[in-house]
Amino acid sequence: MKKAVIVCHRGACLKAPENTIAALIGAIDMGADVVEFDIRTSKDDVLYVIHDETVDRTTNGTGRIADLTSFQIDQLDAGTWFSPEFAGQKVPRLTDFLDACAGRIAAYAEIKMADPARVRDMLAARGMLQTAWTFSFEQSIRAETRAKVPDFRRMVLFSHVGSVERAIALDAHILEFHVDNLTAERVAAAKAAGIRTQFFYDGREHAVFINAVHCGIEQMNINEVELFREIETELRSAVA
């Protein structure tokens, strides 16, 4: 029973404000293998690491990222909403975020709204492309990534493709499962086809983690990193 690769969802988002440098450092300190983060583009074409379409939830500002200039975004406090100790954390520019990742942790870049070729080139410039991968909920961005930057590894969701066979046909490198579609048979079929298996779960139910381990999932895209590692260690000890 191999230890799963840990993908820290939005960084160490339970201990620091999501998608900030503080959350990234928290993921590194936690021993995560990969950091997952979200990318959007400002009005003046600067790439930022932020999940929501607007800055309202995770900063002291208001408005859509696409309507704000980089000067306006750079002035925002992206930490105080989470805890006063993180006051002054910024919405990171993608360049700064990747600089902090390079040589320390791999990258899973979820593109909310950005040119995938630009993201790919930024990763390549830092020697991060070979271990990085990308995904987008926007079908047009997924198609553009496949067409324009075929060397940028791509993830697909089982809930989108509906079968391992379809993931193979799309030349997917990683197939992500969720609670409602995870089975040992599907995981085994993906592995047999040379596709990496990943499981996304933002909860903390022990039974869900136990099932993921029993299904043989290779990568865990999660918030509760420490809890998962405890459960995984117990299960590995039981079969040792």
Side-chain angles (χ1 to χ4, degrees), residues 21 24-25 28 35 37 95-107 123 126 128:
I21 297 295
L24 166 60
I25 299 304
I28 293 169
V35 61
F37 54 92
T95 50
D96 296 333
F97 194 87
L98 294 182
D99 284 344
C101 289
R104 304 170 77 187
I105 194 167
L123 288 161
R126 292 161 177 80
M128 298 176 62

Side-chain angles (χ1 to χ4, degrees), residues 2-228:
K2 292 180 65 175
K3 289 180 68 175
V5 168
I6 294 296
V7 181
C8 230
H9 181 237
R10 304 184 198 172
C13 65
L14 300 181
K15 297 187 175 185
E18 65 179 58
N19 279 324
T20 61
I21 297 295
L24 166 60
I25 299 304
I28 293 169
D29 290 345
M30 203 182 295
D33 304 287
V34 184
V35 61
E36 184 271 349
F37 54 92
D38 305 280
I39 304 170
R40 291 187 179 275
T41 308
S42 70
K43 183 177 182 179
D44 53 343
D45 214 31
V46 176
L47 301 188
Y48 281 91
V49 175
I50 186 169
H51 179 273
D52 294 4
E53 184 178 7
T54 73
V55 299
D56 298 42
R57 179 176 65 87
T58 57
T59 79
N60 61 339
T62 60
R64 297 171 67 246
I65 286 283
D67 294 334
L68 298 172
T69 65
S70 55
F71 177 81
Q72 292 172 306
I73 297 168
D74 288 343
Q75 310 310 307
L76 299 176
D77 179 335
T80 301
W81 71 273
F82 185 87
S83 170
E85 70 179 287
F86 293 105
Q89 282 289 308
K90 300 299 183 183
V91 179
R93 292 189 177 209
L94 181 58
T95 50
D96 296 333
F97 194 87
L98 294 182
D99 284 344
C101 289
R104 304 170 77 187
I105 194 167
Y108 162 20
E110 182 180 325
I111 300 176
K112 294 296 187 184
M113 194 55 64
D115 178 355
R118 288 182 67 193
V119 177
R120 178 257 179 229
D121 290 349
M122 288 183 182
L123 288 161
R126 292 161 177 80
M128 298 176 62
L129 187 61
Q130 285 190 327
T131 57
W133 70 89
T134 189
F135 168 73
S136 180
F137 280 99
E138 295 292 331
Q139 194 280 331
S140 60
I141 293 176
R142 295 199 302 271
E144 185 179 7
T145 304
R146 189 177 178 209
K148 289 174 58 176
V149 281
D151 62 341
F152 197 172
R153 294 197 303 158
R154 288 168 291 101
M155 188 187 84
V156 296
L157 305 187
F158 190 90
S159 59
H160 284 171
V161 298
S163 69
V164 173
E165 291 74 21
R166 181 60 180 157
I168 295 169
L170 289 170
D171 299 319
H173 301 85
I174 297 168
L175 178 58
E176 185 175 82
F177 297 92
H178 297 161
V179 173
D180 60 349
N181 55 40
L182 176 65
T183 69
E185 293 75 20
R186 289 168 177 168
V187 171
K191 287 180 177 179
I195 299 176
R196 293 282 292 180
T197 58
Q198 181 166 295
F199 181 63
F200 170 72
Y201 179 56
D202 60 0
R204 54 178 292 114
E205 290 292 329
H206 288 219
V208 173
F209 286 140
I210 291 169
N211 184 53
V213 173
H214 284 159
C215 285
I217 282 287
E218 296 162 286
Q219 300 181 172
M220 296 290 293
N221 181 16
I222 54 178
N223 298 340
E224 294 280 358
V225 174
E226 291 167 335
L227 175 60
F228 173 76

